[in-house]
DNA sequence: ACCTGAACACCGTTCAAGT
DNA sequence: ACCTGAACACCGTTCAAGT
């Protein structure tokens, strides 16, 4: 029996879409850490080397996957100057909800600035809402950055408690630490304990975006674009 | 020559501190991804198995390293009700500066809630400043969460551009994407282009924290602690 | 108690060899 | 053009064997 690099006939060609879909499937079921080139390849019944025809590397695959998730956000409603704030809060909540469906995907937009078409559409839509609200140009531009950092970080933090079996173990450990706080060492935490443990994820997220929008409406537009001006 | 599990005499015992310091050294020089058990062990001239006497696993080591970084933040100044806002902005800027010295460490507090002593001291100090400012209790408690998410995310985002050799390549790619924006597809981005490319990291970070504090001072305290109340 | 070597079960990525 | 097997250079973690 002659040895060859081929034990079975070549399979029909894959596609970027097939690779991304396989990645999303693994992501949804097992979280971002399970999305390895080998695991995704196995999902497609092939070897890891085959994926490199369609994606540059793992990071490239993750970026493509994130943009697919961004594509799940509903942007069909036109900005309405009378309801822009409500629309904005809804949009940000929807973005987080989309990321919540794919545990850990929020690490991707934190690790590099998303430039995929769906991410760009989302940013453009967000800017449109701020313009409908007559927000100053530079404030609007910088606000997009700030609020995306918050939304992504909030989504990522939640995904840890969802992703693995240690969800409750983690939460318990934190609560235990809080319960055992020494009032001499941490007087402010001890005094504010009821407030610190109040509210769930959704309430705190809603508080965060309301706070940021109120801040936007109550801040001077930033000065100084280029240094020295 | 008889084979044994021992080729050289055992070394003097290590310590948690020595392991954490070695980790911080690797982190500072080569970034968070370089901090592997094997790399840190090599720094101590031993094998990876030796580290498990002092740390539970890699995540535990990273948590200890983060708390050491948190310990570099100056908390010596007492909260002053007349200058609390200035002190708060300074504290948040210092926290980020500390993380900027250790590229990628900001991923740690994003991945699990820090419960180390220095992290707790920092949180307690932040709460103290908010109390000096007579901020409502629940607003203060929830604000700590929100603002830490922002500071950590901002620190992590910057660390990518610092960490590796592809810093300029990444930045150029983003700027190229921005320069080629199709006004028909992304009308708002096209219209706000000058604003979108204005400002540097520090200006945007300062804008973010000012915005959040203004938001805090212009928001109703959140209602509803436990669901249904 | 702690250090050590070896092993296990994984990684991402490259490349020559096939079709 | 694209699939494939094998290899390279890494991982985290465990464990029996030493001192």
């Amino acid at each position: 029996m002659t040895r060859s690099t081929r034990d079975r006939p070549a399979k029909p060609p894959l596609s970027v879409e097939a690779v991304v879909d396989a990645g999303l499937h693994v992501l949804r079921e097992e979280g971002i850490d399970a999305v390895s080139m080998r695991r995704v390849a196995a999902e497609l019944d092939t070897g890891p080397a085959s994926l490199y025809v369609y994606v540059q590397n793992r990071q490239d695959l993750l970026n493509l996957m994130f943009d697919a998730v961004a594509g799940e956000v509903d942007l069909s409603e036109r900005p309405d100057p009378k309801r822009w704030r409500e629309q904005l809060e809804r949009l940000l909540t929807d973005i987080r909800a989309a990321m919540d469906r794919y545990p850990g995907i929020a690490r991707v937009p934190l690790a590099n600035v998303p430039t995929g078409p769906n991410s760009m559409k989302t940013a453009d839509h967000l800017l449109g809402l701020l313009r409908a609200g007559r927000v100053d140009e530079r404030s609007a531009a910088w606000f997009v950055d700030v609020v995306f950092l918050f939304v992504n970080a909030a989504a990522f933090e939640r995904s840890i408690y969802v992703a693995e079996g240690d969800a409750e173990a983690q939460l318990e450990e934190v609560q235990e630490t809080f319960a055992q706080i020494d009032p001499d060492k941490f007087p402010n935490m001890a005094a504010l304990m009821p407030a610190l443990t109040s509210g769930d994820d959704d309430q705190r997220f809603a508080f965060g975006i309301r706070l940021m929008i109120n801040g936007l409406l109550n801040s001077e537009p930033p000065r100084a674009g280029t240094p020295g001006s």
Side-chain angles (χ1 to χ4, degrees), chain A:
Chain A
M1 199 182 206
T2 58
R3 255 320 200 175
S4 130
T5 65
R6 192 53 58 80
D7 286 349
R8 46 175 174 175
K11 314 196 54 167
L14 294 168
S15 64
V16 202
E17 290 74 24
V19 173
V20 171
D21 282 349
L24 287 171
H25 185 248
V26 175
L27 172 61
R28 196 157 189 171
E29 301 292 322
E30 304 172 44
I32 191 91
D33 288 332
V35 182
S36 66
M37 299 301 275
R38 292 174 130 93
R39 180 75 187 73
V40 174
E43 197 73 12
L44 294 164
D45 200 28
T46 183
S50 302
L51 306 185
Y52 288 85
V53 179
Y54 304 100
V55 299
Q56 292 192 305
N57 48 42
R58 180 171 184 259
Q59 191 55 58
D60 184 38
L61 170 58
L62 292 176
N63 287 338
L64 293 170
M65 285 165 57
F66 171 74
D67 205 60
V69 173
E72 291 189 6
V73 176
D74 181 14
L75 304 176
S76 60
E77 204 182 2
R78 304 307 329 151
D80 177 353
K82 287 175 193 150
R83 303 174 44 247
W84 74 273
R85 184 177 170 136
E86 181 196 333
Q87 291 178 312
L88 175 55
E89 294 186 9
R90 175 66 180 273
L91 173 65
L92 296 173
T93 306
D94 285 353
I95 292 171
R96 191 173 103 129
M99 291 195 282
D100 282 346
R101 291 193 290 271
Y102 298 91
I105 192 66
R107 195 163 63 195
V108 175
L110 283 170
N112 58 329
V113 181
T115 52
N118 291 322
S119 311
M120 300 273 283
K121 267 178 215 146
T122 308
D124 195 72
H125 196 253
L126 177 44
L127 283 171
L129 288 170
L130 296 171
R131 293 178 89 192
R134 305 204 150 281
V135 174
D136 155 79
E137 291 203 357
R138 182 142 37 189
S139 299
W142 293 18
F143 180 76
V144 173
D145 257 26
V146 170
V147 85
F148 273 162
L149 282 181
F150 171 69
V151 172
N152 294 334
F156 184 61
E157 193 178 54
R158 163 177 284 190
S159 70
I160 312 140
Y161 292 94
V162 176
E164 296 175 43
D166 66 347
E168 294 187 7
Q170 273 245 35
L171 195 76
E172 261 182 52
E173 203 188 296
V174 172
Q175 288 184 333
E176 203 179 335
T177 310
F178 270 48
Q180 294 176 343
I181 275 185
D182 180 349
D184 292 331
K185 277 187 184 166
F186 311 114
N188 298 302
M189 293 189 85
L192 270 54
M193 200 41 116
L196 285 168
T197 53
S198 69
D200 61 23
D201 260 11
D202 287 337
Q203 291 172 329
R204 283 165 178 253
F205 180 75
F207 170 75
I209 61 179
R210 265 187 279 119
L211 180 142
M212 298 185 86
I213 300 172
N214 287 338
L216 177 65
L217 298 176
N218 289 281
S219 295
E220 289 289 303
R223 287 185 310 260
T226 49
S229 74

